Amino acid sequence: MSASAQMTRVRAIQWARQSIDRLDARLLLQFASECSANALIADPDVVLEEAQWTRFQSLVQRRAGGEPLAYLVGEAGFYGALLAVTPDVLVPRPETEELVDWALDVLRDQPAPTIADLGTGSGAIALTLARARPDARVMAVDVSSAALSVAQLNQQRLGCANVALIHASWYDGWQAADGLDLIISNPPYIPADDPHLSGDGVRFEPRLALTDEADGLDAYRAIAAGAVARLKPGGWLLVEHGHDQGAAVASLWLQAGLVDVRGRLDLSGNPRMTGGQKPARSA
Ligand code: GLN
């Protein structure tokens, strides 16, 4: 289908529905024709311009081929904010909002906390914490300079002056003078041989952010190894992980000398987060 003579908004959506989800079709049409959700509902019979129809068809085809909606429209919602995303960063996921909730819980009684987000990507975790806690100082660390550019754009958009972007692999070459109250991370944790890597959506995401090219635990080993030296007494290490990695991550946390090690379920009931604390005073 390519003629646009009488291609109205409603007919365009009907065409797209043959290959993609209804909500995605609506969002892509809004994006391709620069119209609001309200306008789409109020005026379904508006005829698309030729260029809008062409753009919409191409977006629908890409979505039908598995490209994440967030990459097609260049943004994604996270914790009530709209973040810029590109194929240089993971698409922020709802489970990660729950990791942020946990972090806000553990920091509740800690004034002016110092936080490091390791592998920040779009900056989703770091910027959300910085917004929720304007008294915090947040270090957003990533080894990918392309990812840091996206995080920087988001920092500017959201106006978070209390975030420092750091180009580094995990802890290499930077330090927080007085120690950290929280180390938080959603690192690459998919094992290299997991078919999920070539699955719908995921295969368009940056491999560096998804897998360690090994057993899926390398990032946790590196993060655990450096944590106790950098945390303040009583400081927390909280991470997201795969549904079957909780026991392995917990044992790395214990080996590293963390205490009060515990997992947390996501809203779907899967064990997707593990945390532990540096002992309150060294024995
Ligand atoms: N949650 C992502 C997925 O399963 C993976 C994110 C990650 O590796 N940090 O698709």
Side-chain angles (χ1 to χ4, degrees), residues 2-8 11 47-48 50 53:
S2 64
S4 72
Q6 285 308 314
M7 187 45 66
T8 59
R11 289 190 56 216
V47 175
L48 299 181
E50 181 77 40
W53 170 234

Side-chain angles (χ1 to χ4, degrees), residues 25-47:
R26 299 186 72 85
L27 292 170
L28 288 177
L29 187 61
Q30 287 172 45
F31 179 71
S33 64
E34 291 169 42
C35 89
S36 67
N38 285 347
L40 202 55
I41 293 164
D43 299 311
D45 296 322
V46 167
V47 175

Side-chain angles (χ1 to χ4, degrees), residues 17-148:
R17 287 286 289 124
Q18 296 165 12
S19 57
I20 67 171
D21 164 272
R22 178 174 188 77
L23 180 62
D24 287 1
R26 299 186 72 85
L27 292 170
L28 288 177
L29 187 61
Q30 287 172 45
F31 179 71
S33 64
E34 291 169 42
C35 89
S36 67
N38 285 347
L40 202 55
I41 293 164
D43 299 311
D45 296 322
V46 167
V47 175
L48 299 181
E49 293 166 17
E50 181 77 40
Q52 293 175 337
W53 170 234
T54 306
R55 198 179 312 142
F56 180 62
Q57 286 176 99
S58 144
L59 289 164
V60 169
Q61 277 154 10
R62 288 169 63 190
R63 182 71 196 100
E67 271 185 76
L69 184 84
Y71 291 159
L72 298 176
V73 301
E75 54 192 21
F78 186 81
Y79 220 94
L82 214 46
L83 296 173
V85 296
T86 74
D88 290 316
V89 299
L90 285 187
V91 177
R93 302 207 183 3
E95 303 90 287
T96 310
E97 295 178 332
E98 298 177 49
L99 184 67
V100 169
D101 281 334
W102 194 5
L104 292 173
D105 284 351
V106 305
L107 293 174
R108 182 152 296 134
D109 299 323
Q110 178 65 47
T114 304
I115 301 168
D117 173 22
L118 303 183
T120 197
S122 62
I125 295 174
L127 296 168
T128 306
L129 290 173
R131 272 157 58 92
R133 290 294 302 265
D135 61 330
R137 204 159 55 92
V138 184
M139 273 148 283
V141 179
D142 209 292
V143 73
S144 157
S145 48
L148 280 182

Side-chain angles (χ1 to χ4, degrees), residues 182-256:
L182 170 69
I183 298 170
I184 188 165
S185 183
N186 173 22
Y189 55 71
I190 304 177
D193 59 1
D194 190 327
H196 181 63
L197 283 172
S198 48
D200 192 35
V202 178
R203 70 177 183 278
F204 293 92
E205 296 188 282
R207 210 176 149 94
L208 181 69
L210 291 167
T211 179
D212 57 359
E213 305 295 350
D215 65 352
L217 297 171
D218 272 359
Y220 302 115
R221 293 184 185 101
I223 291 169
V228 168
R230 287 165 180 88
L231 286 171
K232 292 182 194 167
W236 284 87
L237 171 58
L238 303 181
V239 295
E240 176 177 325
H241 50 68
H243 64 93
D244 55 357
Q245 292 173 317
V249 173
S251 106
L252 288 169
W253 273 205
L254 291 167
Q255 282 168 39

